[in-house]
Amino acid sequence: MKVAIIGQGYVGLTISSFAGEFFEVVGFDNNQKIVDQLNSGISHIEGVESSVLQKWIKAGRYIATTSGSDISDVGLVVIAVPTPLSKDRQPDLTYIDAACKAIGENVKNPVLVINESTSFPGTLRNYIKPAIEKYSKNPIEHLYAISPERVDPGRGDYNQKNTPRLYAGLTAEASERTRDFYSRFCDELVEVSSPEVAEAAKLFENTFRQVNIALVNEFAQITNALGLNVYETLDAANTKPYGFMKFTPSAGVGGHCIPVDPTYLATVAEEHGAPATFIRRANDVNLEMSKYVVDRVQADNGGSLQGKSVLVIGVAYKPNVADVRETAAELVIEHLRNRGAVVSWHDDVVGTWHGESSAPLSGAEIAVVITKHDAVSERDILASARYVFDTTGKVAGAKGL
Ligand SMILES: NC(=O)c1ccc[n+]([C@@H]2O[C@H](COP(=O)([O-])OP(=O)(O)OC[C@H]3O[C@@H](n4cnc5c(N)ncnc54)[C@H](O)[C@@H]3O)[C@@H](O)[C@H]2O)c1
């Protein structure tokens, strides 16, 4: 069977690399540069090996394309496009809409459409299905299902094969065909009673992390005020064998999921007249951490950052990936610059960002560690500036949360 995967980013390319073993995959992406790179056998996603891509290309089981006509004869379509927040921090379904347009205008036969993009409950039923029908020239009865993605880029222990996958179709046939598709490369499939349950579960998984991260970020401020070491205190709490799960503080949450998905849940909750107070407050606490970090750095440096050279170390949102979406480094740098600091950043995994290149890991008066990649040694970090503030808890000997 020929399968179209709409969006060849973290989620779509990962699925393509697994599906290529069993299906003929058409990776549809509207970014020509990414498509050209993929067709030359080079993966741009951590966790997807170029050698795997090359194997499928050679076997005639993978092609990337920007052309809608290449998906006209597929039997199954997976949607894996971004679901970010708009400028006013509202759910932004414009990418989903564009994907529905590509499907509606090009797919000629009835197919199974599976949505893997994260969105609020009701998106499949009330948004994706009507949108595809609206864009189709001839009425076609497609099948529709949801299977939220749980990939964690850069993670070694869990992948598509051993991470249980939720799914639900709008009809029993859609559910059955969804199970058939994923069971080729996923060990454990969990069917739920409706697409809305799967959509809500996905949002709650990430909201659980967001709220707990906010709690530990607040706790870090409390322990500091009390003169206690937050890491020692958390390790002590973590000796309890049940009823506790350890989260660690940070300069804020980054990435495409934790700072974004809870707002999808809060928005739909409020639209239905339900409270989302924890979610909204957690978001504020996490966003305010960047200011707290800069306040601490300023207080330790004579109360002023004016004219001081500050090196921000690690601008990716998490270790060992190049992804800078929603990174906490952005707000930290903004606060530092607003206070007159002369800021540069070091992150050779990211390389270039906002038109600036990664600076050498040396020569600053002050260094603030936001993300510590494995390739960057503690020794080099400590030697990079006369004062080092570490928000990761991984640089022994530095000042920190
Ligand atoms: N990255 C993760 O770890 C992760 C985990 C779980 C869920 N998700 C969710 O999966 C979805 C995709 O996220 P991602 O991280 O893969 O995003 P991404 O930005 O890495 O990739 C999306 C790709 O879609 C392409 N694209 C955008 N609009 C398109 C269109 N109309 N037609 C074709 N291609 C289009 C972009 O060029 C890009 O290559 C989001 O809803 C996200 O929340 C992501």
Side-chain angles (χ1 to χ4, degrees), residues 155-234:
R155 184 167 202 121
D157 50 355
Y158 283 99
N159 55 34
Q160 289 294 330
K161 186 156 167 54
N162 62 1
T163 306
R165 181 176 270 284
L166 301 178
Y167 73 99
L170 280 183
T171 60
E173 190 187 352
S175 294
E176 205 177 305
R177 284 196 46 199
T178 302
R179 186 177 191 91
D180 282 352
F181 174 64
Y182 289 110
S183 60
R184 311 287 181 102
F185 52 90
C186 178
D187 293 340
E188 192 180 340
L189 289 152
V190 183
E191 184 174 1
V192 291
S193 65
S194 71
E196 287 75 13
V197 171
E199 290 166 324
K202 169 70 195 178
L203 291 184
F204 190 66
E205 289 164 21
N206 283 345
T207 302
F208 172 83
R209 284 180 56 72
Q210 177 232 22
V211 168
N212 279 285
I213 291 167
L215 181 63
V216 80
N217 278 338
E218 195 164 77
F219 188 58
Q221 298 176 51
I222 295 170
T223 49
N224 181 63
L226 297 177
L228 303 172
N229 180 300
V230 68
Y231 301 106
E232 186 192 355
T233 315
L234 290 170

Side-chain angles (χ1 to χ4, degrees), residues 329-346:
E330 182 107 48
L331 286 176
V332 169
I333 290 173
E334 195 178 306
H335 286 300
L336 288 167
R337 286 191 171 139
N338 285 344
R339 295 177 197 197
V342 181
V343 184
S344 55
W345 55 267
H346 170 84

Side-chain angles (χ1 to χ4, degrees), residues 7 9-11 29-30 81 83 98 117-118 149 151 153 202 256 325:
Y10 282 91
V11 168
D29 199 292
N30 59 4
V81 294
T83 44
S117 294
T118 308
E149 183 52 59
V151 65
K202 169 70 195 178
H256 36 76
R325 285 179 285 181

Side-chain angles (χ1 to χ4, degrees), residues 74 230 265:
V74 297
V230 68
L265 186 57

Side-chain angles (χ1 to χ4, degrees), residues 72-114:
S72 63
D73 59 344
V74 297
L76 192 151
V77 182
V78 175
I79 300 174
V81 294
T83 44
L85 295 177
S86 59
K87 279 205 178 77
D88 56 352
R89 297 194 77 77
Q90 293 296 311
D92 175 3
L93 295 193
T94 51
Y95 297 89
I96 292 266
D97 188 67
C100 292
K101 191 165 189 278
I103 297 165
E105 288 181 349
N106 293 290
V107 175
K108 299 280 174 272
N109 304 310
V111 299
L112 170 64
V113 178
I114 305 173

